[in-house]
Amino acid sequence: MSVKLNFEDSFALGKKEYKYCSIDKASQKYGRELFRMPYTLKILVENLLRNTKGDSLDAAIGSILSWIKTEGKSEKEISYKPGRVLMQDFTGVPAIVDLAAMRDAMKDLKGNPRKINPQIPVDLVIDHSVQVNHYGAKTAFKQNVAVEFSHNRERYEFLKWGQESFENFRVIPPGTGICHQVNLEYLAQVVLVTKEQDGKFLAFPDTVIGTDSHTTMINGLGVLGWGVGGIEAEAAMLGEQISMVIPEVIGFKITGKLREGVTATDLVLSITNMLRKEGVVGKFVEFYGDGLGHLSLPDRATIANMSPEYGATCAFFPIDQETIRFLEATGRKKENIELVEQYAKKQSLWHNNNETEIVFSHKIELDASTIEPCIAGPKRPQDIIPLAKAQKSFREFMVDIGPINDKNNQEMHHGDVVIAAITSCTNTSNPDVMMAAGLVAKRAVEKGMSVPSWVKTSLAPGSKVVSEYLNKSGLQVYLDQLGFNLVGYGCTTCIGNSGPLKPEVSGEIKKRNLVVASVLSGNRNFEGRIHPLVSANYLASPPLVVIYALAGSMDIDIVRDPVGKDKHGKDVFLKDLWPSNQDIRQYVGKFLSRKMFVDKYKEVFSGDEEWRAIKTAKTSTYEWNKKSTYIQDPPYFAGMSRVPGKIDDVVRARILCMFGDSITTDHISPAGDIDSRSPSGQYLSAHNVADVNFNSYGARRGNHEVMMRGTFANIRIKNEIIPGKVGGVTIHHPTGKEMSIYDAAMLYKKSATPLVVIAGKEYGSGSSRDWAAKGPKLLGVRVVIAESFERIHRSNLIGMGIMPLAFIGNDNRKTLNLTGGEIIDILGFDSFVLGKNLICNITYGSANHVIASEPGQLGMTKKDVVEIELKPLVYTQAELEYLKNNGVLNYVLRRMLG
């Protein structure tokens, strides 16, 4: 018989009986206040009812209820066990590498390696590897796929081994779609079901964590999910519950509806700007209001997708009739759809416009009818620009460059758009904006317009369904004629896989030091991300991407100036190309069908012939190839014992690098191309890899040798230890020599010198990139001291045994006059408890000064040492245990060893 559930109840549906942990029954013990919870917290309540027992459950529910009493604020922690894990290949490959390494470590420590297995379902979608090497031709897709397989076969063979050798692990092959769209259209069930030993079925909310920050997209479907670091995901896969402080929940009321000509992209960019100003880092956002009735589910998914860009843990839309309509439209089974509706209503998870009863930590409101067409850039997704002011904004960006030249003939100038990409999970999941892009292309082609020669155009949809409706509607033909041919099903340009520009274009940019632009329908435009030669990067809706491709420049008033000329030499304006909302609705209604989803996802795990041809053996441990430059056995468990040691104080540490505000994970652990002159490039060259086969940092994440050399190697990172210089360089202070950050770290490692990283605000924003924590760990970084941290990166640092420390009060690198040459001592680790600050002694002196054990010796005086306090950003007992064990993987391994 199965174990009796807490507050068990059941209902019949067809011939099946479903049991569940009833929030209604729980309220009879704990109080009706449970129904005043936001929907997101109700889901966490159910999770606690199902996964927590006895007194621990009473304490956890008590913590939730105290959140109500304190008006949506709490410092108490609860545990959370997600229903499944979603991965993409860039972050998924190193996670599976780590599991393979854990199996080796388990074997070395005389344990059973087969114990290392995912305990909950894990899906990995290969979507990050395809690059836009070929474009603007019918053969582009096949050519890019061929290059992808030739570059990534080692990784794919490894993933196939993982699929064969690990339980609960599935791989969706390349060329299928972007993980978040596949999740939205197919994988997510909204309500999950497991069959119990008594023959009954247990129903519970579908919840997910993902190793990609845009996992949040699924919240548009009423599925609670967010991105975590690969390290945290691995712990959850191995049965660890996630410890979390009960978050603030911001109630976001949407009223009204979007005006004619305004897209969901305009709405989400405006919301991103609004919530960044509001300050929602680490908080839940929950949408409500009559405006929800005017948002399609793809519109909601677009908003939920960009949660990382405004810093929220998630942005949730509750289950309602639109959820049911979408499930039906995307081919979900009738029984599952009926289950979703019944379960949601029985658990008070069905949206019923009763938000006046719900307690939120804070409320904000937006009238959708006030949203204007806009873009965002040139360096951050929250920096929105009304479309009518786009040219002015670009010229302000150019103010330090000098005058902008007038256009003449085909010669390139500042402001030219050299990349126009319809790409990423954010917008290609939305039929309205994709059809709109096709309709813009149709009108442009019919007028005889073309795209300037310097613009690299590409189309990378989020799923094969998009290609199906664009082809069936006849709109793909027009997109093709403008160069927006299919290049692959993956993230492409949005993650830096934009591929090379034409040699004559890149040559002109370099020769004349041109400031050129990209326009993409993605969610990320951080500095140095899209392409190393492109300084200004703008986010826009898919139809606007087509418009800017036709214009070929950011230096025009896109609203008032001609976009181009027709075949008769007559000026063509934006208004001449833009489709009406009615035209868009007609195309979507006529050419998008349920059958498309059923057909395209029928063999989602099969892959093409090349994928099926990969053969692997099922083994308990992986046979590492020491010559591989893609997959290597990481050193995280080298010399590990069964019992953890104590946390040592940080003594006589050096500052490896010092940064300003908004250092992203792209800065810390870059994506995109590998420069042959960089430490990573030199490593690959030394291993006889030709430059043309370097691939990308993302594809090489299974090799720690490449990734640790790429840490802090971004070409645009600014290390304040060397003012005025750009790139991954620093000063090795004992010698006073300038060198790469990697080389300096290796010299410090030889002398057993611990390292510190200093930074400003929002350290680690951007992608949930585990290598942004793994890389510093392997370089010898013990602590990062910053004014503030982004949520996922803080968690990742702890997961790798690196302590995140925050400056207190007015202290920061500037007020303390830090130059990078100081000696840092951080004391109190051995007696550290949650909530306790640590003492930091900063010893000032020349870079070559020998520091004695006591201030005052060797010519120093007491005043050369300044003592400050630092706040450890360690919030839960579980996080403290991870630090004590030198990381979460070591902790889990020791737990499994008993």
Side-chain angles (χ1 to χ4, degrees):
M1 295 293 289
S2 59
V3 177
K4 176 74 175 177
L5 297 172
N6 292 318
F7 307 104
E8 183 177 319
D9 205 343
S10 64
F11 62 91
L13 184 62
K15 295 181 180 179
K16 292 181 180 178
E17 185 172 355
Y18 295 90
K19 60 182 183 179
Y20 64 101
C21 293
S22 169
I23 295 175
D24 183 47
K25 280 193 172 182
S27 73
Q28 294 169 25
K29 175 179 178 179
Y30 296 116
R32 303 297 293 179
E33 292 292 295
L34 288 178
F35 291 108
R36 299 187 65 208
M37 291 284 169
Y39 292 101
T40 46
L41 294 195
K42 283 181 192 170
I43 292 171
L44 293 182
V45 165
E46 187 283 337
N47 203 280
L48 289 168
L49 297 179
R50 187 163 33 89
N51 296 302
T52 315
K53 305 299 179 186
D55 293 342
S56 296
L57 176 60
D58 291 342
I61 298 297
S63 296
I64 290 274
L65 291 172
S66 70
W67 185 94
I68 287 273
K69 294 173 184 175
T70 54
E71 297 181 335
K73 290 179 174 57
S74 175
E75 293 184 0
K76 296 185 177 181
E77 69 175 274
I78 57 171
S79 294
Y80 164 64
K81 187 173 183 178
R84 55 193 179 90
V85 175
L86 178 71
M87 292 181 163
Q88 37 91 337
D89 53 307
F90 272 14
T91 50
V93 166
I96 304 306
V97 165
D98 289 349
L99 292 191
M102 286 182 76
R103 280 194 167 186
D104 286 349
M106 178 70 88
K107 185 177 179 180
D108 292 342
L109 291 166
K110 311 304 180 187
N112 180 5
R114 289 193 179 276
K115 271 190 171 184
I116 306 297
N117 262 313
Q119 303 298 303
I120 57 177
V122 179
D123 289 301
L124 185 150
V125 183
I126 299 175
D127 64 0
H128 273 53
S129 297
V130 63
Q131 298 193 68
V132 189
N133 294 301
H134 302 276
Y135 66 100
K138 289 183 178 180
T139 57
F141 173 63
K142 287 186 177 180
Q143 289 175 297
N144 286 328
V145 169
V147 172
E148 178 186 357
F149 264 91
S150 68
H151 281 175
N152 297 287
R153 180 169 290 276
E154 284 183 51
R155 299 168 65 240
Y156 296 168
E157 287 173 349
F158 174 71
L159 288 175
K160 266 214 161 179
W161 169 83
Q163 185 171 240
E164 292 290 327
S165 302
F166 290 112
E167 298 171 7
N168 281 329
F169 177 57
R170 302 185 297 186
V171 177
I172 294 176
T176 304
I178 298 175
C179 63
H180 310 303
Q181 191 155 344
V182 173
N183 193 23
L184 185 73
E185 295 177 352
Y186 178 75
L187 295 173
Q189 300 301 306
V190 187
V191 174
L192 296 176
V193 177
T194 59
K195 191 171 184 178
E196 300 295 288
Q197 292 177 359
D198 60 5
K200 292 182 181 180
F201 295 87
L202 172 62
F204 53 96
D206 184 358
T207 55
V208 62
I209 58 170
T211 57
D212 188 285
S213 52
H214 295 104
T215 302
T216 54
M217 184 174 188
I218 204 60
N219 289 276
L221 190 62
V223 174
L224 184 61
W226 57 81
V228 298
I231 306 146
E232 193 173 350
E234 290 166 49
M237 286 160 54
L238 293 166
E240 284 293 296
Q241 293 199 25
I242 295 172
S243 291
M244 57 187 292
V245 173
I246 304 171
E248 292 185 35
V249 183
I250 308 301
F252 194 122
K253 184 177 183 179
I254 297 181
T255 61
K257 61 186 293 188
L258 297 175
R259 292 180 288 115
E260 179 73 26
V262 180
T263 68
T265 311
D266 302 318
L267 176 61
V268 70
L269 293 178
S270 300
I271 287 174
T272 300
N273 173 267
M274 186 175 178
L275 288 177
R276 263 297 167 189
K277 291 177 180 176
E278 181 72 23
V280 294
V281 173
K283 302 175 185 179
F284 287 4
V285 177
E286 198 166 294
F287 291 91
Y288 68 99
D290 57 18
L292 267 60
H294 301 299
L295 295 177
S296 69
L297 200 129
D299 290 346
R300 300 175 185 187
T302 303
I303 296 167
N305 177 282
M306 286 190 71
S307 296
E309 279 65 55
Y310 41 86
T313 302
C314 63
F316 188 82
F317 290 83
I319 301 166
D320 63 4
Q321 202 58 48
E322 174 60 16
T323 316
I324 300 302
R325 189 205 65 76
F326 183 80
L327 292 174
E328 291 170 344
T330 50
R332 265 64 166 212
K333 294 178 181 178
K334 182 180 178 182
E335 179 185 346
N336 295 61
I337 297 169
E338 290 175 351
L339 173 63
V340 169
E341 184 165 351
Q342 279 215 34
Y343 180 85
K345 288 178 176 176
K346 286 182 179 296
Q347 290 281 60
S348 298
L349 295 174
W350 184 268
H351 182 234
N352 56 8
N353 291 311
N354 69 335
E355 285 80 8
T356 54
E357 302 171 15
I358 292 177
V359 173
F360 289 111
S361 307
H362 180 58
K363 292 182 181 181
I364 54 179
E365 186 172 336
L366 173 66
D367 181 353
S369 68
T370 64
I371 299 298
E372 298 179 36
C374 61
I375 59 174
K379 294 181 180 180
R380 300 191 305 176
Q382 65 262 40
D383 296 334
I384 61 166
I385 307 159
L387 197 57
K389 296 180 180 178
Q391 181 186 40
K392 180 184 177 184
S393 175
F394 174 74
R395 290 192 164 187
E396 289 172 351
F397 172 68
M398 289 285 298
V399 72
D400 295 330
I401 307 296
I404 300 177
N405 300 312
D406 294 326
K407 294 282 175 186
N408 55 78
N409 300 323
Q410 293 292 301
E411 189 180 354
M412 291 183 63
H413 292 92
H414 290 310
D416 281 349
V417 173
V418 297
I419 293 176
I422 300 175
T423 179
S424 108
C425 50
T426 310
N427 290 289
T428 63
S429 62
N430 194 327
D432 285 357
V433 291
M434 294 301 289
M435 288 290 200
L439 288 167
V440 168
K442 180 176 184 291
R443 292 187 179 185
V445 170
E446 288 172 347
K447 291 178 181 295
M449 301 178 73
S450 61
V451 172
S453 61
W454 58 79
V455 184
K456 180 174 185 175
T457 48
S458 62
L459 169 63
S463 79
K464 290 183 176 180
V465 175
V466 179
S467 289
E468 186 73 4
Y469 63 68
L470 286 176
N471 283 318
K472 188 175 180 181
S473 66
L475 296 178
Q476 185 62 55
V477 173
Y478 299 105
L479 287 163
D480 289 347
Q481 289 185 58
L482 295 183
F484 286 97
N485 302 79
L486 175 68
V487 297
Y489 296 98
C491 305
T492 64
T493 306
C494 192
I495 58 162
N497 284 358
S498 52
L501 301 174
K502 289 180 181 178
E504 59 269 28
V505 172
S506 57
E508 190 75 2
I509 295 169
K510 292 175 184 176
K511 181 175 70 176
R512 298 172 53 202
N513 198 26
L514 293 176
V515 176
V516 293
S518 74
V519 182
L520 63 150
S521 64
N523 45 40
R524 294 274 164 86
N525 59 343
F526 300 131
E527 194 173 19
R529 180 184 181 95
I530 306 306
H531 191 283
L533 295 178
V534 181
S535 304
N537 302 284
Y538 295 92
L539 307 180
S541 65
L544 269 180
V545 171
V546 180
I547 294 288
Y548 271 107
L550 291 164
S553 176
M554 290 302 302
D555 186 29
I556 71 165
D557 187 331
I558 202 74
V559 175
R560 299 173 187 84
D561 292 345
V563 173
K565 294 184 181 294
D566 66 13
K567 54 193 169 187
H568 303 297
K570 184 180 177 182
D571 287 342
V572 178
F573 294 87
L574 173 66
K575 61 183 177 61
D576 301 321
L577 299 173
W578 201 264
S580 68
N581 289 356
Q582 183 178 358
D583 288 342
I584 296 168
R585 282 193 297 268
Q586 285 179 348
Y587 265 78
V588 172
K590 186 176 181 180
F591 297 110
L592 182 62
S593 69
R594 183 180 192 274
K595 186 176 183 298
M596 289 179 181
F597 292 92
V598 174
D599 290 346
K600 292 303 173 185
Y601 283 107
K602 191 177 295 180
E603 297 180 346
V604 67
F605 297 102
S606 300
D608 60 15
E609 289 182 11
E610 195 158 6
W611 174 261
R612 292 193 294 271
I614 297 174
K615 303 299 180 185
T616 56
K618 182 178 181 179
T619 58
S620 61
T621 57
Y622 184 67
E623 295 183 14
W624 305 95
N625 176 4
K626 292 184 178 180
K627 293 182 179 179
S628 173
T629 56
Y630 279 97
I631 306 294
Q632 282 296 326
D633 185 5
Y636 308 131
F637 310 107
M640 177 181 161
S641 63
R642 281 177 170 260
V643 181
K646 66 182 182 69
I647 308 177
D648 293 325
D649 287 343
V650 176
V651 179
R652 296 185 185 178
R654 286 290 190 174
I655 300 173
L656 178 63
C657 36
M658 186 164 65
F659 306 116
D661 298 339
S662 299
I663 291 297
T664 70
T665 52
D666 278 25
H667 288 112
I668 304 167
S669 183
D673 296 337
I674 300 173
D675 192 313
S676 60
R677 298 163 296 179
S678 69
S680 296
Q682 292 170 17
Y683 166 85
L684 292 172
S685 295
H687 284 74
N688 301 313
V689 179
D691 292 16
V692 70
N693 294 322
F694 276 6
N695 209 331
S696 66
Y697 278 109
R700 299 266 180 194
R701 286 183 188 175
N703 184 345
H704 63 279
E705 296 288 357
V706 171
M707 297 309 296
M708 64 191 288
R709 286 166 171 81
T711 303
F712 301 120
N714 186 291
I715 59 171
R716 287 190 168 83
I717 200 168
K718 296 175 182 176
N719 181 8
E720 294 179 357
I721 292 177
I722 310 181
K725 283 232 173 182
V726 178
V729 292
T730 193
I731 297 293
H732 177 252
H733 280 104
T735 62
K737 291 182 179 179
E738 180 181 320
M739 60 186 70
S740 74
I741 289 175
Y742 169 77
D743 288 339
M746 293 304 100
L747 284 178
Y748 284 127
K749 186 169 284 191
K750 282 183 180 179
S751 61
T753 303
L755 299 175
V756 173
V757 172
I758 307 286
K761 300 180 180 72
E762 296 179 353
Y763 182 78
S765 58
S767 302
S768 57
R769 195 165 293 166
D770 56 343
W771 268 109
K774 287 178 175 177
K777 175 73 171 184
L778 294 178
L779 293 183
V781 174
R782 284 285 312 278
V783 301
V784 178
I785 308 171
E787 292 176 59
S788 65
F789 291 78
E790 203 78 352
R791 176 185 64 87
I792 295 176
H793 187 61
R794 181 204 68 85
S795 175
N796 274 344
L797 289 172
I798 291 172
M800 285 309 298
I802 297 176
M803 176 81 86
L805 298 170
F807 287 113
I808 297 173
N810 294 323
D811 288 341
N812 58 52
R813 69 193 190 286
K814 292 181 178 178
T815 59
L816 292 167
N817 296 314
L818 299 181
T819 64
E822 296 76 18
I823 302 293
I824 305 293
D825 293 282
I826 305 173
L827 311 174
F829 280 88
D830 57 342
S831 59
F832 173 69
V833 294
L834 296 180
K836 180 181 177 182
N837 292 337
L838 295 176
I839 298 298
C840 174
N841 290 324
I842 304 170
T843 304
Y844 296 83
S846 67
N848 297 311
H849 196 94
V850 179
I851 304 300
S853 59
E854 292 292 331
Q857 295 181 14
L858 299 181
M860 294 188 68
T861 63
K862 294 279 187 183
K863 67 180 180 181
D864 292 313
V865 178
V866 170
E867 180 182 296
I868 63 171
E869 288 191 19
L870 296 170
K871 181 180 180 180
L873 300 186
V874 184
Y875 299 140
T876 68
Q877 194 62 40
E879 290 181 343
L880 181 54
E881 290 301 316
Y882 298 158
L883 287 169
K884 288 179 178 178
N885 280 270
N886 200 30
V888 64
L889 299 183
N890 307 65
Y891 169 81
V892 171
L893 188 55
R894 288 188 174 109
R895 177 176 59 77
M896 288 189 165
L897 282 163

